[in-house]
């Protein structure tokens, strides 16, 4: 098990503690066979992906914590676990028509987490993937008042849909 020791880059060993969230860090980085936990009820962390093809056996993103994929794709996170104690955090995505592989059904379901699609540059148009039709909370944050395109299908939003504007990522 690798737990976030602090908020930083996925590929930085100091981000990860092999025993407890909020620990000293210094473990190696997670791999496809690793159980990954980002944050808990006491520690809210943002872990940023700065490369393609990250993987884990399972992933928990606690309430108040974030996994930011930026524009990188090709990730497989196994089973996404909704923790009844810490809740569900946020998954941020700045890639066009992309959603990471894994079993996200509970995260996207009626008691799930938040997915935010955002732009990193004014020239980028992001289209949400048509493969995801359910979201617990959905946030779209276009850069500099540009466009984020919803898929041509019905969406179910169980809780909140927020369309905002961000001047930066």
């Amino acid at each position: 098990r690798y737990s976030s020791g602090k908020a930083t880059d996925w590929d930085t060993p100091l981000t990860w503690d092999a025993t407890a969230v909020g620990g000293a860090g210094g473990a190696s980085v997670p791999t496809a066979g690793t159980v990954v936990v980002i944050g808990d009820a006491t520690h809210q962390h943002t872990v940023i992906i700065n490369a393609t093809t990250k993987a884990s056996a399972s992933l928990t993103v606690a309430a108040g914590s974030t996994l930011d994929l930026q524009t990188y794709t090709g990730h497989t996170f196994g089973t996404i676990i909704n923790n009844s104690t810490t809740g569900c955090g946020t998954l941020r995505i700045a890639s066009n028509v992309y959603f990471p592989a894994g079993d996200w059904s509970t995260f996207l379901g009626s008691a799930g987490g938040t997915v935010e699609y955002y732009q990193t540059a004014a020239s980028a148009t992001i289209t949400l993937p048509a493969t995801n039709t359910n979201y617990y909370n959905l946030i779209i944050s276009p850069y500099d008042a540009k466009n984020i395109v919803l898929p041509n299908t019905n969406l179910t939003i169980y809780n909140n849909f927020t369309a905002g504007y961000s001047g930066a990522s």
Side-chain angles (χ1 to χ4, degrees):
R1 169 182 159 148
Y2 279 47
S3 301
S4 58
K6 61 173 79 174
T8 188
D9 185 331
W10 181 284
D11 286 326
T12 301
L14 286 175
T15 299
W16 306 107
D17 188 282
T19 57
V21 172
S28 59
V29 299
T31 62
T34 308
V35 172
V36 174
V37 177
I38 299 173
D40 63 15
T42 305
H43 305 89
Q44 288 77 45
H45 295 145
T46 296
V47 174
I48 299 168
I49 301 278
N50 285 311
T52 56
T53 64
K54 299 302 170 199
S56 67
S58 68
L59 173 68
T60 301
V61 182
S65 293
T66 301
L67 176 61
D68 188 347
L69 303 181
Q70 298 189 88
T71 58
Y72 300 101
T73 60
H75 314 297
T76 303
F77 295 116
T79 302
I80 312 312
I81 298 170
N82 287 358
N83 187 316
S84 61
T85 303
T86 62
C88 297
T90 300
L91 174 67
R92 296 186 79 221
I93 303 170
S95 297
N96 191 42
V97 193
Y98 176 72
F99 199 84
D103 180 0
W104 291 87
S105 57
T106 57
F107 191 88
L108 297 172
S110 62
T114 299
V115 176
E116 178 184 3
Y117 285 94
Y118 68 101
Q119 292 170 302
T120 59
S123 61
T125 295
I126 298 212
T127 300
L128 275 63
T131 54
N132 292 346
T133 58
N134 295 328
Y135 295 91
Y136 182 68
N137 293 313
L138 176 62
I139 299 171
I140 56 172
S141 300
Y143 180 94
D144 200 20
K146 299 300 180 188
N147 296 321
I148 292 182
V149 180
L150 298 174
N152 187 18
T153 188
N154 292 331
L155 295 176
T156 300
I157 314 267
Y158 294 103
N159 196 30
N160 294 316
F161 174 70
T162 305
Y165 158 74
S166 69
S169 61

